[in-house]
Amino acid sequence: TMQSSGHRFRDIEHHPLLADNDAFDSSTSEADMAQRVWFIRDGCGMVCAIMTWLLVVYADFVVTFVMLLPSKDFWYSLINGVLFNCLAVLALSSHLRTMLTDPGAVPKGNATKEYMDNLQLKPGEVIYKCPKCCSIKPERAHHCSICKRCIRKMDHHCPWVNNCVGEKNQRFFVLFTMYIALISAHALVLCGFQFFSCVKGQWTECSDFSPPVTVILMIFLCLEGFLFLTFTAVMFGTQIHSICNDETEIERLKSEKPTWERRLRWEGMKSVFGGQPSLLWINPFAGFRIRQLLLRGKKGGPEFSV
């Protein structure tokens, strides 16, 4: 602990705030960060993210080309095909927005005397510095060893979306788990109807593929659907519970006593999803601006690399 400009600065390790070559410009860092595309270059996370997309594409292929198109019931194929593909688009869009949205990263290296003076802290007020990324650590922020940054209201780091789930992208992660759970349940129901119709009728007439290939494709889809439904439904419930209790998963696991005023359940939902309940809550495209994304792509590359 040391005294600085009338307030105390606590650090776990004893080392300089910043080296001379790591100077932090508080006037440009936030603006510069807002103009860059957020992407984590983590090998494991990128593989998991690609696998997620491939599994959704596989499910869409089996549902569309193995089960629905060969069906003689036009309206059954049309309604289920449109519904499944719409859910798949919403799920993948939610995945992209979770992966490419800044989860609430604290500016790296902002723990300078100049920046702290600009905070206009009261005498005796305690602030904390992260010794790993040299940033002033806001309340409820935690350091992610994979992202190499402190994340505001960090819930956890999810390799399936190759990003942390935090203050700014938790809504998209909740939508991702919800839509994956819905398409998994839909795929399982369609598999059940398909098996029933194939057993009841002729296997050669229920699909354009041979019976062995049809069975193998559907068995893999059933396994995928069951596993993803179980995982995402549990994760969705956990996220909603955390939002309603205004408590992140890290805070729950560490049994941290809340030093903040907890929001009421409904207020917590509105703070994450934004505003009063509406269809925008379940729309992953809400707030998306193509022009802004193109400008970001021209002005800068990834915010940081791992």
Side-chain angles (χ1 to χ4, degrees):
T1 304
M2 66 181 182
Q3 300 290 334
S4 177
S5 302
H7 61 267
R8 290 178 294 165
F9 190 90
R10 289 186 177 177
D11 193 358
I12 300 174
E13 299 177 5
H14 299 283
H15 56 72
L17 292 181
L18 284 172
D20 293 335
N21 59 347
D22 291 331
F24 174 78
D25 185 356
S26 59
S27 63
T28 60
S29 178
E30 291 284 2
D32 183 61
M33 183 183 300
Q35 297 298 328
R36 295 191 178 188
V37 175
W38 184 271
F39 182 73
I40 309 297
R41 291 184 180 176
D42 174 57
C44 177
M46 289 190 286
V47 169
C48 289
I50 293 172
M51 283 180 59
T52 301
W53 276 68
L54 291 177
L55 288 171
V56 173
V57 170
Y58 169 78
D60 188 65
F61 169 79
V62 176
V63 167
T64 303
F65 293 98
V66 178
M67 293 190 284
L68 295 182
L69 287 181
S71 175
K72 297 179 181 180
D73 190 334
F74 173 78
W75 290 109
Y76 171 82
S77 299
L78 179 64
I79 293 173
N80 282 287
V82 170
L83 178 59
F84 188 90
N85 282 279
C86 285
L87 291 174
V89 169
L90 290 170
L92 294 178
S93 300
S94 300
H95 181 273
L96 271 180
R97 295 212 68 180
T98 307
M99 182 171 60
L100 301 179
T101 298
D102 176 0
V106 179
K108 184 184 291 186
N110 67 350
T112 64
K113 184 178 183 300
E114 178 186 1
Y115 185 72
M116 288 186 289
D117 290 340
N118 292 333
L119 294 177
Q120 297 180 347
L121 299 169
K122 298 177 181 179
E125 187 173 354
V126 178
I127 58 176
Y128 296 89
K129 188 195 89 170
C130 176
K132 299 176 182 178
C133 59
C134 291
S135 64
I136 294 177
K137 204 170 186 178
E139 187 177 38
R140 305 186 68 183
H142 293 84
H143 186 86
C144 175
S145 58
I146 298 176
C147 295
K148 312 295 185 184
R149 297 288 285 274
C150 283
I151 308 295
R152 294 183 180 91
K153 289 184 66 176
M154 176 181 168
D155 189 85
H156 67 288
H157 184 95
C158 179
W160 294 105
V161 297
N162 189 33
N163 201 0
C164 274
V165 177
E167 185 178 63
K168 295 183 180 180
N169 68 346
Q170 187 175 25
R171 168 176 170 258
F172 302 122
F173 181 75
V174 172
L175 293 181
F176 168 66
T177 57
M178 181 182 75
Y179 286 124
I180 289 293
L182 288 175
I183 65 172
S184 297
H186 192 194
L188 289 173
V189 171
L190 291 176
C191 281
F193 277 114
Q194 188 73 7
F195 273 119
F196 178 77
S197 62
C198 288
V199 171
K200 186 178 179 180
Q202 296 293 326
W203 276 91
T204 55
E205 297 178 0
C206 71
S207 175
D208 293 336
F209 294 84
S210 64
V213 173
T214 301
V215 172
I216 292 174
L217 291 174
M218 290 174 60
I219 287 177
F220 275 110
L221 179 60
C222 286
L223 292 174
E224 177 191 340
F226 177 77
L227 292 175
F228 269 77
L229 175 60
T230 303
F231 175 76
T232 55
V234 171
M235 185 60 70
F236 174 78
T238 302
Q239 289 293 302
I240 295 297
H241 181 267
S242 297
I243 294 171
C244 290
N245 288 339
D246 195 13
E247 181 183 48
T248 66
E249 188 66 16
I250 291 179
E251 292 164 351
R252 186 186 68 81
L253 292 174
K254 291 185 175 181
S255 300
E256 296 183 1
K257 294 182 180 180
T259 57
W260 61 94
E261 184 179 353
R262 284 188 172 180
R263 296 186 177 96
L264 298 175
R265 292 185 177 183
W266 201 241
E267 292 300 320
M269 292 289 289
K270 289 194 290 186
S271 69
V272 172
F273 290 92
Q276 296 297 324
S278 68
L279 290 177
L280 294 177
W281 278 25
I282 59 174
N283 179 13
F285 300 102
F288 180 71
R289 299 289 183 272
I290 296 179
R291 181 182 177 186
Q292 187 178 23
L293 181 64
L294 292 176
L295 288 175
R296 288 182 179 182
K298 293 179 181 179
K299 291 185 178 181
E303 164 54 27
F304 64 96
S305 304
V306 176

